[in-house]
Structure formats: C-alpha cells, structure tokens
Amino acid sequence: MSTQARRAAVLGSPVAHSLSPVLHRAAYRALGLSGWRYDAIECDEAALPGLVDGLGPEWVGLSVTMPGKRAALARADERTERAVAVDAANTLVRLPDGRWQADCTDIDGVTGALISAGWAGPRSGAALVLGAGATASAVVAGLAELELRNVQVMVRKPARAAGLVAVAKRFGLEVEVVAWDPALPGVGGVDLVVSTVPGGAADPCAPAAARAPFVLDVVYHPWPTPMAKAVESVGGRLATGLDMLLHQAFGQVEQFTGRPAPREVMASALAGVR
C-alpha cells in the first residue's frame, strides 16, 4: 500500500464526459496507491502549456484528449518515436528529473480495440477513415501495425488532410484523400471503416458504414452512436470508442505508476458505467 501523494489528470475541452477517471481510479485502488488522485481538468490547446508548466512535483502524468494532443506533443521535453511519427500525444509522463515525455498510447487503443472485438487480419488490406485529426493519425499508425496497407481518408476539406497523409506515408501506407460523401462510395472494397469525427458528424454515414466487414467508432459519448446501432442491427463487427479508451489507458497507467496495469479490474470498472 502506497500512501504517498501523487496526482494525475485528463485534460480536454469538453472533458466532463471523460471516463478516464473511472479507469485510472480503479487501477490505482487495485494497485494499492491510496494516496493517488486522478481528476478531469477542462483545458484547451491554448491553455495546455501554461497548465503543464504550473504543475508541482507531485504530478506524475497527464492523459490528453481533444483538442490538446498536438499541443501536448509540442510542450513535451522528450518525445517517443511513435508520438513524433503520428504528430500527436495523448500521454504526458513526468520523468525523474521533472521534465515531461510525450507518448501516444492511442495507437495501442486502436489495435487493442480491434483485436478484442475479433479482428482476424486484413483481406483486401484497405481501410476507410473518416476525419483527419490527431485521433485519425493514431488510427493509421494502428492500421499499419495490423498490416493494412491502403487507407482512404474522407474529409470535408481535403486540404486539411495533408498532415494525416504525411503520417500515413511514414508508416508505409498508401493513402488517398476523398471528398466527404455520406454514401461512402468505396465501402464495398475495404476491410474496415473507422470514424474519428466528433459525435454527430458521422451519423449520416451510419447506414453505409454498416455494410463494411468491420467498424470502429471512436466516439463513446453519447453511446450507442447511430453508427454503432446501424452496425449492430445487421450483426456486423464493431469495435467501440470505449474499447479504444480502455486499451489506451493500460499503457498510461503503467507509465504513470511503473507497475503492470490491472487490466481486468479496469475493464470491469468501465463495464459498470457502459
């Protein structure tokens, strides 16, 4: 049992809906870290650097959700290779010398969510990704780990996808940017559809997405999303944003505490609020 006071938190805007506190608090209890505290802090990308600079030595780590993932990478003193490669960080870890290291456990979240939902490997080797933000960058890195080789990126403003295209190419993926079309014209030729856009934005795409062999919808609030309902109504394979949240949190807990994550305890805690 450790009663030494330590603090961690999730930063985001909005952040009140975040379930990261549920996962981390359950993990700390299971690990006997009774002096540890984990909070949710409203913080946008502009405020993130100043907030991090003002944290005391009791702070061990930060989970970072939208819209601060690129700001977190920029603020870090050190960066893991994969965080640099995806140009985003969802994790800031306090190093022994007081500096901050950025990582991207979102990649683990993508692969873990798909595998736990029954992903058996690529067929065509192609995926359709909706959106081109920081989460989409982690998605394409995860898809590369799962041996997909081609990705089609659907966005409303193709010029904004340049960063994601660069990330995909770093991971050896062939990438094509297409204009937003809720009918998802290419859905018949892909193994997987991944929606990384905010809640509600992908709702018109739900009927078409349900035709894909596998779907990952990263939104988990409110749940279930129309896309999740559409997939489940036809008996399709679905990986959820809750699955992704759980699997990305394992790595954060381990980096914050230096101990193996109590995975079953964390999964049970999340299941209790679904």
Short mmCIF file of all heavy atoms in Angstrom, two decimals, residues 229-255:
data_model
loop_
_atom_site.label_atom_id
_atom_site.label_comp_id
_atom_site.label_asym_id
_atom_site.label_seq_id
_atom_site.Cartn_x
_atom_site.Cartn_y
_atom_site.Cartn_z
N LYS A 229 -25.40 1.59 -33.63
CA LYS A 229 -26.71 0.97 -33.76
C LYS A 229 -26.89 0.33 -35.14
O LYS A 229 -27.43 -0.77 -35.26
CB LYS A 229 -27.81 2.01 -33.52
CG LYS A 229 -27.91 2.49 -32.09
CD LYS A 229 -29.02 3.54 -31.98
CE LYS A 229 -29.15 4.09 -30.57
NZ LYS A 229 -30.19 5.15 -30.48
N ALA A 230 -26.43 1.04 -36.18
CA ALA A 230 -26.58 0.52 -37.54
C ALA A 230 -25.79 -0.76 -37.72
O ALA A 230 -26.27 -1.73 -38.34
CB ALA A 230 -26.14 1.58 -38.55
N VAL A 231 -24.56 -0.78 -37.20
CA VAL A 231 -23.73 -1.98 -37.33
C VAL A 231 -24.34 -3.14 -36.57
O VAL A 231 -24.43 -4.27 -37.07
CB VAL A 231 -22.30 -1.69 -36.83
CG1 VAL A 231 -21.46 -2.97 -36.83
CG2 VAL A 231 -21.63 -0.63 -37.71
N GLU A 232 -24.77 -2.88 -35.34
CA GLU A 232 -25.34 -3.96 -34.53
C GLU A 232 -26.64 -4.47 -35.11
O GLU A 232 -26.96 -5.65 -34.98
CB GLU A 232 -25.53 -3.46 -33.10
CG GLU A 232 -24.20 -3.23 -32.38
CD GLU A 232 -24.36 -2.66 -30.98
OE1 GLU A 232 -25.43 -2.06 -30.71
OE2 GLU A 232 -23.43 -2.82 -30.17
N SER A 233 -27.40 -3.61 -35.79
CA SER A 233 -28.69 -4.03 -36.35
C SER A 233 -28.54 -5.05 -37.47
O SER A 233 -29.47 -5.82 -37.75
CB SER A 233 -29.46 -2.81 -36.87
OG SER A 233 -28.87 -2.30 -38.06
N VAL A 234 -27.37 -5.06 -38.11
CA VAL A 234 -27.13 -6.03 -39.18
C VAL A 234 -26.18 -7.13 -38.74
O VAL A 234 -25.73 -7.93 -39.56
CB VAL A 234 -26.60 -5.33 -40.46
CG1 VAL A 234 -27.61 -4.34 -40.99
CG2 VAL A 234 -25.25 -4.66 -40.21
N GLY A 235 -25.86 -7.17 -37.46
CA GLY A 235 -24.97 -8.20 -36.95
C GLY A 235 -23.53 -8.03 -37.35
O GLY A 235 -22.76 -9.01 -37.41
N GLY A 236 -23.11 -6.78 -37.61
CA GLY A 236 -21.74 -6.52 -38.04
C GLY A 236 -20.75 -6.52 -36.89
O GLY A 236 -21.12 -6.51 -35.71
N ARG A 237 -19.47 -6.53 -37.24
CA ARG A 237 -18.40 -6.49 -36.26
C ARG A 237 -18.13 -5.04 -35.88
O ARG A 237 -17.90 -4.19 -36.76
CB ARG A 237 -17.13 -7.13 -36.81
CG ARG A 237 -17.18 -8.65 -36.87
CD ARG A 237 -17.33 -9.24 -35.48
NE ARG A 237 -17.26 -10.68 -35.45
CZ ARG A 237 -16.16 -11.38 -35.23
NH1 ARG A 237 -15.02 -10.75 -35.01
NH2 ARG A 237 -16.19 -12.70 -35.20
N LEU A 238 -18.13 -4.77 -34.58
CA LEU A 238 -18.00 -3.40 -34.11
C LEU A 238 -16.97 -3.32 -32.99
O LEU A 238 -17.04 -4.03 -31.99
CB LEU A 238 -19.34 -2.90 -33.58
CG LEU A 238 -19.37 -1.51 -32.94
CD1 LEU A 238 -19.12 -0.42 -33.98
CD2 LEU A 238 -20.69 -1.28 -32.21
N ALA A 239 -15.99 -2.44 -33.16
CA ALA A 239 -15.09 -2.04 -32.08
C ALA A 239 -15.49 -0.64 -31.67
O ALA A 239 -15.79 0.21 -32.52
CB ALA A 239 -13.63 -2.07 -32.54
N THR A 240 -15.50 -0.39 -30.38
CA THR A 240 -16.07 0.86 -29.89
C THR A 240 -15.02 1.82 -29.34
O THR A 240 -13.89 1.42 -29.01
CB THR A 240 -17.09 0.59 -28.78
OG1 THR A 240 -16.38 0.22 -27.57
CG2 THR A 240 -18.05 -0.52 -29.17
N GLY A 241 -15.43 3.08 -29.19
CA GLY A 241 -14.58 4.05 -28.55
C GLY A 241 -14.28 3.69 -27.11
O GLY A 241 -13.21 4.03 -26.58
N LEU A 242 -15.20 2.99 -26.46
CA LEU A 242 -14.96 2.53 -25.09
C LEU A 242 -13.84 1.49 -25.07
O LEU A 242 -12.98 1.49 -24.19
CB LEU A 242 -16.24 1.94 -24.51
CG LEU A 242 -17.34 2.96 -24.19
CD1 LEU A 242 -18.65 2.25 -23.88
CD2 LEU A 242 -16.94 3.85 -23.02
N ASP A 243 -13.84 0.60 -26.07
CA ASP A 243 -12.75 -0.38 -26.17
C ASP A 243 -11.42 0.32 -26.38
O ASP A 243 -10.40 -0.03 -25.78
CB ASP A 243 -13.00 -1.34 -27.34
CG ASP A 243 -14.28 -2.15 -27.20
OD1 ASP A 243 -14.61 -2.54 -26.06
OD2 ASP A 243 -14.95 -2.38 -28.22
N MET A 244 -11.42 1.33 -27.24
CA MET A 244 -10.20 2.07 -27.51
C MET A 244 -9.73 2.81 -26.26
O MET A 244 -8.53 2.82 -25.94
CB MET A 244 -10.44 3.04 -28.66
CG MET A 244 -9.20 3.81 -29.08
SD MET A 244 -9.53 4.84 -30.55
CE MET A 244 -8.06 5.86 -30.56
N LEU A 245 -10.67 3.43 -25.54
CA LEU A 245 -10.32 4.14 -24.32
C LEU A 245 -9.67 3.20 -23.31
O LEU A 245 -8.66 3.53 -22.68
CB LEU A 245 -11.58 4.75 -23.71
CG LEU A 245 -11.38 5.51 -22.40
CD1 LEU A 245 -10.69 6.84 -22.65
CD2 LEU A 245 -12.73 5.73 -21.70
N LEU A 246 -10.23 2.01 -23.16
CA LEU A 246 -9.70 1.04 -22.21
C LEU A 246 -8.28 0.64 -22.57
O LEU A 246 -7.37 0.66 -21.72
CB LEU A 246 -10.60 -0.19 -22.19
CG LEU A 246 -10.13 -1.36 -21.32
CD1 LEU A 246 -10.11 -0.97 -19.85
CD2 LEU A 246 -11.03 -2.59 -21.56
N HIS A 247 -8.05 0.29 -23.81
CA HIS A 247 -6.74 -0.23 -24.19
C HIS A 247 -5.67 0.86 -24.22
O HIS A 247 -4.49 0.57 -23.95
CB HIS A 247 -6.84 -0.95 -25.54
CG HIS A 247 -7.48 -2.30 -25.42
ND1 HIS A 247 -8.85 -2.48 -25.45
CD2 HIS A 247 -6.94 -3.54 -25.24
CE1 HIS A 247 -9.13 -3.76 -25.30
NE2 HIS A 247 -8.00 -4.41 -25.17
N GLN A 248 -6.04 2.11 -24.51
CA GLN A 248 -5.02 3.16 -24.44
C GLN A 248 -4.69 3.49 -22.99
O GLN A 248 -3.58 3.92 -22.67
CB GLN A 248 -5.45 4.41 -25.21
CG GLN A 248 -6.68 5.13 -24.69
CD GLN A 248 -6.42 6.07 -23.53
OE1 GLN A 248 -5.35 6.67 -23.46
NE2 GLN A 248 -7.37 6.20 -22.64
N ALA A 249 -5.64 3.26 -22.07
CA ALA A 249 -5.41 3.57 -20.66
C ALA A 249 -4.45 2.59 -20.00
O ALA A 249 -3.78 2.95 -19.03
CB ALA A 249 -6.74 3.58 -19.90
N PHE A 250 -4.37 1.36 -20.50
CA PHE A 250 -3.44 0.40 -19.91
C PHE A 250 -2.01 0.96 -19.90
O PHE A 250 -1.31 0.93 -18.89
CB PHE A 250 -3.46 -0.92 -20.68
CG PHE A 250 -4.76 -1.69 -20.59
CD1 PHE A 250 -5.14 -2.53 -21.63
CD2 PHE A 250 -5.59 -1.58 -19.48
CE1 PHE A 250 -6.32 -3.25 -21.56
CE2 PHE A 250 -6.79 -2.29 -19.41
CZ PHE A 250 -7.15 -3.13 -20.45
N GLY A 251 -1.58 1.45 -21.05
CA GLY A 251 -0.23 1.98 -21.16
C GLY A 251 -0.02 3.22 -20.31
O GLY A 251 1.07 3.42 -19.74
N GLN A 252 -1.04 4.07 -20.22
CA GLN A 252 -0.91 5.26 -19.38
C GLN A 252 -0.72 4.88 -17.91
O GLN A 252 0.16 5.43 -17.24
CB GLN A 252 -2.15 6.14 -19.53
CG GLN A 252 -2.25 6.83 -20.88
CD GLN A 252 -3.41 7.78 -20.95
OE1 GLN A 252 -4.37 7.70 -20.18
NE2 GLN A 252 -3.36 8.71 -21.90
N VAL A 253 -1.52 3.96 -17.42
CA VAL A 253 -1.39 3.54 -16.03
C VAL A 253 0.01 2.99 -15.76
O VAL A 253 0.64 3.29 -14.74
CB VAL A 253 -2.47 2.50 -15.67
CG1 VAL A 253 -2.15 1.79 -14.35
CG2 VAL A 253 -3.84 3.16 -15.60
N GLU A 254 0.51 2.20 -16.69
CA GLU A 254 1.83 1.60 -16.50
C GLU A 254 2.93 2.65 -16.53
O GLU A 254 3.89 2.58 -15.74
CB GLU A 254 2.05 0.52 -17.56
CG GLU A 254 1.14 -0.68 -17.32
CD GLU A 254 1.22 -1.74 -18.40
OE1 GLU A 254 1.92 -1.51 -19.42
OE2 GLU A 254 0.58 -2.80 -18.23
N GLN A 255 2.79 3.65 -17.39
CA GLN A 255 3.81 4.69 -17.44
C GLN A 255 3.72 5.63 -16.23
O GLN A 255 4.75 6.09 -15.72
CB GLN A 255 3.67 5.50 -18.73
CG GLN A 255 4.03 4.69 -19.98
CD GLN A 255 4.07 5.55 -21.23
OE1 GLN A 255 4.75 6.57 -21.27
NE2 GLN A 255 3.35 5.15 -22.25
#
